[in-house]
Amino acid sequence: MTRKNFTLTSPYREITSADETKQFTNELFPQGNVLADLATMNIGHRHVFVYEQNNEILAFLIFDDHNTYFHIEFVAVNRLIPSGLSAGTKLILLLEELGRNLKYDNIELYSLEQKISYYEALGFDDTRITEIGNYGKMSKMVKSLTSW
């Protein structure tokens, strides 16, 4: 599968090695240096998008492109910087737009139990398929991109 090159406009862009030293903290990454490894993950069918304002990373989105759908691996918001409407939500909405433009079927992800209602509010359906991941019990969520 050939890697797609997405054309993104500010405040969205792909992560670069220059981001490795920027601070990023949230509930799952309290140490503040999570960005150090993300640039090396941005290869092949895996993409890492960031939402940036004033040279600060407000959120990042890691996803896999499977040619007919996207699988979101991770969305994280930087708690060091308030962002109004969540920068993470804006990244998900961007991915939906890209998927629709590519005529993709859906976006899928595995959600932490405490985040299911958040994804449902964004139009994702809980499939009731669960697995135990690194962060606890997770439910598979799917959002169709073919129905409006």
Side-chain angles (χ1 to χ4, degrees), residues 65-82:
D65 180 354
H66 291 280
N67 263 351
T68 59
Y69 71 97
F70 292 130
H71 174 83
I72 295 175
E73 189 64 31
F74 217 92
V75 181
V77 176
N78 193 345
R79 300 296 183 213
L80 295 173
I81 306 156

Side-chain angles (χ1 to χ4, degrees), residues 48-134:
V48 183
F49 288 177
V50 298
Y51 185 102
E52 180 183 53
Q53 280 185 339
N54 301 321
N55 203 33
E56 298 284 352
I57 304 294
L58 302 185
F60 67 82
L61 169 73
I62 302 170
F63 70 95
D64 295 328
D65 180 354
H66 291 280
N67 263 351
T68 59
Y69 71 97
F70 292 130
H71 174 83
I72 295 175
E73 189 64 31
F74 217 92
V75 181
V77 176
N78 193 345
R79 300 296 183 213
L80 295 173
I81 306 156
S83 64
L85 174 60
S86 171
T89 300
K90 291 177 182 179
L91 283 166
I92 293 169
L93 296 175
L94 171 69
L95 194 61
E96 287 179 24
E97 179 183 334
L98 292 172
R100 283 192 176 98
N101 289 342
L102 291 167
K103 308 287 190 245
Y104 278 15
D105 298 325
N106 58 49
I107 298 175
E108 66 175 39
L109 57 88
Y110 279 87
S111 172
L112 296 169
E113 285 188 285
Q114 64 268 29
K115 298 289 188 181
I116 290 173
S117 61
Y118 165 77
Y119 289 111
E120 286 176 334
L122 290 176
F124 284 80
D125 294 316
D126 186 351
T127 65
R128 308 284 187 233
I129 297 170
T130 61
E131 67 176 41
I132 303 298
N134 292 338

